C-alpha cells in the first residue's frame, strides 16, 4: 500500500510511466472506462478547491469507479474536533483510496500514517501539491516533448505557492534545467528549498524582481497567484497582490514557442487577452490534470 505525499515519492521512471499512461488514456479512453469498477475514491477537502477535487472525482468516474467525501471541513466531524488521524482511519473503512487537501502542512502525511488505504496529497498548506505537478509535467511533455534543457521562470508568490515548490522538486531531477525565480523580495522561494533542492543538486538559478528583463530567456513561464489565504496581514496582501500582471505587451520579447502556465485559480496575474494566445497552456493543464490523476489512481490501486 503506497501513498503519494510529495512528488519525490515517485521516481523519474514512475513519472515517465504516468505520462505514458495519461497519453494512452487520452488516445484510448474506452480502454480505461471500467478499470476501477467497484472501487471508491474519498475526496477529503478541508480547504476550497475547484480543479483538484472535481478532476479527482471526474477521473474516478471515467475509470468506472465511485466517489464519496466532503468539500469543506465544516461539513465533516473535523468541525467537532476529530483529528486527521481518526478521520483517515474512519474513511479507510469506506473507501479504497483517499485524496486529501488540508490547510495544515503535513496533514496528508499524518493521514497516510493512519490510513490502511493509499493517501494522495491534494495540497497541504503552503507546502506541496504533487498532483498539480503531475498535470504540469504532462503539459510540459505534450508542449515541449521533453523535461530536460529548459529554462523555466516561476513568477509571483514563490513563498507560499505550493505548486511551485512541487514542480521545482520534480524538475530538479532532469538535466539542463535553469530556474528563473521572479518575485517581490517578500515572496521569494523559501530558503529551505533553495538549500535542499537547488544548491544541494548544483542547479542553475537566478532570482530577480523584473519579469520583462528575463522574459526573452524563458521556455516556460509559470505564473502564480499571490496566496491571500496564507498571509497574516491583509495590508501586505493588498500591497503585493498585483506585483505581476501578464499582458500581451509584456510578451513582446518572449520566445515564439514560450509555454505560459498557471496552476489556477487566476485572480489578476494573467490578462484574459492572453487566453487566445496559442502559447497559453493553463486550461490545458486543467484537462491534463484529470488524465494524470486517472493514471495515478490506477498506479496506487495496482490496476494494470
Ligand atoms: N490548481 C489547483 O489546485 O486548483 P484548485 O485550488 O481549484 O483545486
Amino acid at each position: 500500500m503506497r501513498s503519494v505525499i510529495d512528488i519525490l515519492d515517485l521516481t523519474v521512471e514512475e513519472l515517465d510511466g504516468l505520462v505514458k499512461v495519461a497519453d494512452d488514456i487520452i488516445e484510448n479512453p474506452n480502454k480505461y472506462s471500467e478499470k476501477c469498477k467497484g472501487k471508491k475514491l474519498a475526496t477529503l477537502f478541508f480547504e476550497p478547491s475547484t480543479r483538484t477535487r472535481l478532476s479527482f472525482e471526474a477521473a474516478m468516474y471515467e475509470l468506472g469507479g465511485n466517489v464519496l467525501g466532503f468539500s469543506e471541513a465544516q461539513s465533516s466531524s473535523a468541525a467537532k474536533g476529530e483529528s486527521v488521524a481518526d478521520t483517515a482511519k474512519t474513511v479507510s473503512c469506506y473507501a479504497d483510496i483517499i485524496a486529501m487537501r488540508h490547510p495544515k502542512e503535513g496533514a496528508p502525511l499524518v493521514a497516510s500514517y493512519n490510513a490502511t488505504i493509499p493517501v494522495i496529497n491534494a495540497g497541504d498548506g503552503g507546502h506541496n501539491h504533487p498532483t498539480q505537478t503531475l498535470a504540469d509535467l504532462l503539459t510540459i511533455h505534450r508542449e515541449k516533448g521533453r523535461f530536460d534543457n529548459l529554462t523555466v521562470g516561476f513568477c509571483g508568490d514563490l513563498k507560499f505557492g505550493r505548486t511551485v515548490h512541487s514542480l521545482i522538486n520534480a524538475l530538479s531531477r532532469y538535466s539542463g534545467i535553469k530556474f528563473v525565480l521572479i518575485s517581490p523580495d517578500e515572496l521569494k522561494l523559501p530558503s529551505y528549498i533553495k538549500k535542499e533542492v537547488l544548491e544541494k543538486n548544483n542547479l542553475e538559478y537566478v532570482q530577480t524582481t523584473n519579469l520583462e528583463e528575463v522574459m526573452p530567456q524563458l521556455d516556460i513561464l509559470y505564473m502564480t497567484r499571490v496566496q491571500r489565504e496564507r498571509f497574516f496581514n491583509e495590508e501586505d496582501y493588498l500591497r503585493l497582490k498585483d506585483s505581476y500582471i501578464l499582458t500581451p505587451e509584456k510578451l513582446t520579447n518572449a520566445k515564439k514557442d514560450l509555454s505560459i502556465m498557471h496552476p489556477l485559480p487566476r485572480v489578476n496575474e494573467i490578462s484574459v487577452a492572453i487566453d487566445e494566445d496559442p502559447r497559453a497552456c493553463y486550461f490545458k493543464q486543467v484537462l491534463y490534470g484529470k488524465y494524470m490523476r486517472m493514471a495515478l489512481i490506477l498506479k496506487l490501486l495496482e490496476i494494470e
Side-chain angles (χ1 to χ4, degrees):
M1 198 265 300
R2 202 170 158 203
S3 292
V4 170
I5 304 302
D6 188 305
I7 196 67
L8 298 178
D9 292 338
L10 295 162
T11 65
V12 169
E13 292 71 31
E14 285 176 318
L15 291 179
D16 291 345
L18 289 172
V19 167
K20 278 202 180 78
V21 173
D23 281 335
D24 193 50
I25 294 170
I26 293 169
E27 292 301 314
N28 308 290
N30 292 340
K31 204 168 111 184
Y32 294 87
S33 64
E34 296 204 355
K35 291 272 184 194
C36 283
K37 202 170 174 184
K39 300 286 184 191
K40 283 173 277 178
L41 164 75
T43 50
L44 311 184
F45 277 60
F46 296 82
E47 198 183 56
S49 167
T50 296
R51 275 147 294 275
T52 311
R53 185 172 65 84
L54 297 183
S55 68
F56 261 117
E57 296 188 358
M60 195 49 157
Y61 285 127
E62 289 186 27
L63 291 167
N66 286 299
V67 175
L68 66 164
F70 51 83
S71 57
E72 51 178 349
Q74 278 311 106
S75 64
S76 78
S77 283
K80 294 181 272 185
E82 186 162 61
S83 67
V84 165
D86 285 358
T87 303
K89 283 180 189 160
T90 301
V91 175
S92 298
C93 301
Y94 307 140
D96 299 285
I97 186 165
I98 291 172
M100 176 184 281
R101 170 169 291 188
H102 203 287
K104 283 204 180 125
E105 289 83 357
L109 180 66
V110 170
S112 73
Y113 290 153
N114 289 279
T116 55
I117 58 178
V119 176
I120 303 171
N121 179 4
D124 62 327
H127 192 213
N128 280 318
H129 193 347
T131 64
Q132 178 63 46
T133 299
L134 296 181
D136 299 341
L137 290 175
L138 183 60
T139 308
I140 292 170
H141 202 259
R142 288 179 77 87
E143 292 298 307
K144 301 288 183 209
R146 66 184 194 280
F147 292 127
D148 46 15
N149 300 314
L150 292 168
T151 299
V152 186
F154 289 95
C155 179
D157 184 350
L158 311 191
K159 179 179 179 184
F160 296 117
R162 59 194 176 196
T163 65
V164 171
H165 306 163
S166 288
L167 185 54
I168 286 178
N169 261 304
L171 291 175
S172 72
R173 296 187 291 181
Y174 296 93
S175 60
I177 297 285
K178 179 179 173 187
F179 294 112
V180 182
L181 307 173
I182 310 140
S183 74
D185 284 335
E186 294 96 325
L187 298 178
K188 279 183 177 167
L189 192 73
S191 52
Y192 80 91
I193 300 179
K194 271 183 267 177
K195 283 199 187 98
E196 289 169 25
V197 183
L198 302 181
E199 287 158 20
K200 199 167 158 186
N201 295 305
N202 288 321
L203 292 161
E204 195 179 341
Y205 76 95
V206 291
Q207 294 188 107
T208 179
T209 54
N210 192 327
L211 173 60
E212 279 102 316
E213 204 172 271
V214 295
M215 186 70 87
Q217 308 171 25
L218 305 179
D219 298 305
I220 293 168
L221 172 58
Y222 195 99
M223 296 295 294
T224 61
R225 171 178 71 91
V226 174
Q227 307 264 306
R228 181 180 207 157
E229 63 275 33
R230 315 265 176 245
F231 276 69
F232 293 112
N233 178 332
E234 181 74 2
E235 263 173 43
D236 286 346
Y237 168 73
L238 294 173
R239 183 168 52 80
L240 294 167
K241 71 183 176 69
D242 290 330
S243 298
Y244 302 97
I245 300 175
L246 191 64
T247 58
E249 298 69 48
K250 290 188 183 152
L251 288 172
T252 310
N253 294 322
K255 288 188 179 176
K256 296 278 174 279
D257 65 347
L258 173 72
S259 296
I260 304 166
M261 299 177 65
H262 190 310
L264 304 182
R266 151 177 68 182
V267 180
N268 213 18
E269 311 79 54
I270 301 182
S271 152
V272 290
I274 290 179
D275 294 2
E276 299 311 316
D277 189 309
R279 293 171 290 187
C281 294
Y282 27 97
F283 287 105
K284 290 181 188 171
Q285 286 168 265
V286 171
L287 179 62
Y288 295 158
K290 180 183 71 177
Y291 297 122
M292 283 301 258
R293 289 179 176 109
M294 288 170 80
L296 183 63
I297 290 169
L298 289 172
K299 181 174 184 60
L300 296 182
L301 291 179
E302 299 178 358
I303 294 170
E304 285 297 312

